Amino acid sequence: AIDAPRVVPQKPLDGVEFQCLEINSSNTAELAYTHIYMFDWVFAKSTLADLAKVLQRSPFYVLLSFRKPTEWWSYGLNKIQPVAKVPGFRTTGGEGMTCYFYVNVEKLPAQ
């Protein structure tokens, strides 16, 4: 008789890795992550423009950002499409923010 393979249960979030990175378009070729979350509410426009170049080269599937689609598109990040948004985030100063969920259209399945 052949024993059935044993499945070792994984702990929740075993496949999750959080990293804090310094990124700009001159020193970063791409971000090799499937999901990217950024608290980009406080980023300067020049930082967003540099970051858009890096993201445009990156193979991510999902991007979470506090910036509107039109702003990202204006910086050249044109391979993203918004699919959801969650309002209600508040800064310590009481300013309201909305988190936008984007998908990378280059990763969508062929029809």
Side-chain angles (χ1 to χ4, degrees), residues 63 65 81-87 98-103:
L63 171 68
S65 167
Q81 186 64 40
V83 293
K85 64 182 181 178
V86 177
T98 297
C99 185
Y100 295 88
F101 291 65
Y102 298 97
V103 293

Side-chain angles (χ1 to χ4, degrees), residues 22-44:
E22 181 76 27
I23 298 170
N24 67 46
S25 62
S26 63
N27 72 4
T28 306
E30 67 179 31
L31 298 175
Y33 302 102
T34 58
H35 296 67
I36 299 173
Y37 166 80
M38 299 181 293
F39 186 72
D40 53 5
W41 185 255
V42 296
F43 291 1

Side-chain angles (χ1 to χ4, degrees), residues 56-78:
Q56 188 64 27
R57 296 189 297 259
S58 298
F60 65 89
Y61 286 79
V62 177
L63 171 68
L64 278 69
S65 167
F66 290 90
R67 299 297 179 148
K68 292 181 179 183
T70 52
E71 185 172 7
W72 279 121
W73 296 333
S74 75
Y75 296 127
L77 180 55
N78 56 23

